[in-house]
Amino acid sequence: MNMYMHEVKSYRNNTLLWTVTLVLVVGLFMSMYPAFSKDVAAFKGMLEGFPEPVRKAIGLELDQFFSLLGFYSYLFLYIKLLGSIQAMTIGIGILSKELRAKTADFLLTKPVSRAEILRAKMLAAFTCILVTNVVFISSAVLIVSIVTTESFHLATLLVLSLTLFMLQLLFLSLGFLIAVVVQKIKAVLPVSLGIVFMFFLINLLGSATGDRLLRYLTPFQYVEPMYILKNDAYEPIFLLLGLALLLISIIVSYVVYTKKDIPSV
């Protein structure tokens, strides 16, 4: 419990910063919705000038864009990007920081097993992500309720918003995996940004080309807002694929972390 609390406190400010950022982004974007909804014809004419591949890449579907939840789902492309960076940063950082600080041998001399250390760190990371999502989803529902000019389906809004939590768990588990597989990570942020943007670019390419194979290569495509908006549900095959990826990443991380050689100072 002490180790868990220590890790939660270590990432308290980081979690607060990311949570406030996500809420501010939602507040800023959704505050524009009343203006868009008042002059649909003019904005639609302007957006129709965008090349179709560009509209597909950024998730801009004109038939849905001017509805409240369509506007919100478009905004979610950027929410997912920010949330993924947060999760990847925590996942890599929390399991690699002793090696970066050269305190790993000190930690491992304590009367706790590696499995206990790993569980405490993973649980602390999960807590940070959970807190972020509770605050984010609560704030999103409040903001959407304030700016709405039409009735909307609350369940659909919640299903859309929960995709952030699902995507963050995926990137968190990938972060764990990278942290234990790579022998030494000198700087967390550049590595996290590089990996997340690689998956994000694959996501844009897959959306623009409609290549279904690319959808399997990036977690961003596992939670597709437009599909959710049209079906009020997640795509089963990608839901199962995401769950499998999550479990495999955590199991491999556990096995590698408990057996790997930890260099001493």
Side-chain angles (χ1 to χ4, degrees):
M1 181 57 75
N2 288 341
M3 196 177 303
Y4 164 76
M5 292 304 299
H6 173 76
E7 295 294 354
V8 169
K9 288 179 182 176
S10 298
Y11 280 88
R12 180 178 52 195
N13 292 338
N14 176 287
T15 302
L16 177 64
L17 180 63
W18 278 103
T19 304
V20 169
T21 300
L22 291 171
V23 172
L24 286 177
V25 170
V26 172
L28 179 63
F29 269 73
M30 291 310 295
S31 68
M32 301 177 190
Y33 177 71
F36 274 84
S37 62
K38 284 179 182 175
D39 202 354
V40 173
F43 283 114
K44 193 170 185 177
M46 180 183 71
L47 295 175
E48 281 175 342
F50 286 30
E52 188 175 354
V54 173
R55 294 205 305 266
K56 286 183 176 178
I58 61 175
L60 185 60
E61 291 199 14
L62 296 182
D63 292 340
Q64 299 282 351
F65 182 72
F66 295 98
S67 68
L68 179 70
L69 294 183
F71 192 83
Y72 181 75
S73 64
Y74 169 71
L75 146 74
F76 230 77
L77 178 68
Y78 308 101
I79 292 295
K80 289 193 299 185
L81 176 61
L82 293 174
S84 300
I85 294 171
Q86 178 199 9
M88 180 64 77
T89 304
I90 294 176
I92 293 177
I94 203 166
L95 291 191
S96 65
K97 66 180 183 180
E98 276 77 25
L99 285 176
R100 294 197 311 278
K102 299 181 179 178
T103 57
D105 50 350
F106 171 76
L107 177 62
L108 294 178
T109 59
K110 299 293 181 183
V112 289
S113 66
R114 290 193 186 191
E116 289 175 298
I117 294 172
L118 189 63
R119 283 198 296 271
K121 286 176 174 288
M122 284 184 171
L123 187 57
F126 176 78
T127 301
C128 294
I129 296 301
L130 183 63
V131 168
T132 294
N133 279 271
V134 169
V135 176
F136 170 78
I137 293 174
S138 303
S139 302
V141 171
L142 178 63
I143 291 168
V144 169
S145 301
I146 292 173
V147 304
T148 184
T149 56
E150 59 185 70
S151 61
F152 66 93
H153 197 196
L154 178 61
T156 305
L157 175 63
L158 292 176
V159 172
L160 275 171
S161 301
L162 277 172
T163 58
L164 174 65
F165 183 57
M166 297 164 65
L167 192 64
Q168 285 196 304
L169 289 182
L170 272 178
F171 275 101
L172 186 67
S173 66
L174 288 174
F176 292 153
L177 183 61
I178 292 165
V180 298
V181 170
V182 178
Q183 189 60 28
K184 187 174 182 179
I185 297 174
K186 293 183 179 179
V188 173
L189 189 58
V191 175
S192 301
L193 288 175
I195 294 169
V196 171
F197 276 107
M198 177 189 71
F199 283 124
F200 190 71
L201 289 175
I202 295 174
N203 170 59
L204 295 182
L205 184 61
S207 298
T209 61
D211 188 334
R212 190 167 177 81
L213 179 61
L214 291 177
R215 294 197 63 192
Y216 293 93
L217 301 180
T218 170
F220 285 104
Q221 288 278 344
Y222 295 2
V223 283
E224 175 54 46
M226 281 302 156
Y227 180 91
I228 296 168
L229 198 59
K230 293 172 183 174
N231 299 278
D232 277 342
Y234 305 111
E235 288 179 89
I237 186 170
F238 289 106
L239 197 61
L240 291 174
L241 188 58
L243 181 61
L245 182 60
L246 177 72
L247 292 176
I248 291 170
S249 297
I250 290 177
I251 291 170
V252 173
S253 300
Y254 182 89
V255 172
V256 174
Y257 189 84
T258 53
K259 295 182 181 299
K260 72 183 292 188
D261 292 330
I262 304 292
S264 58
V265 178

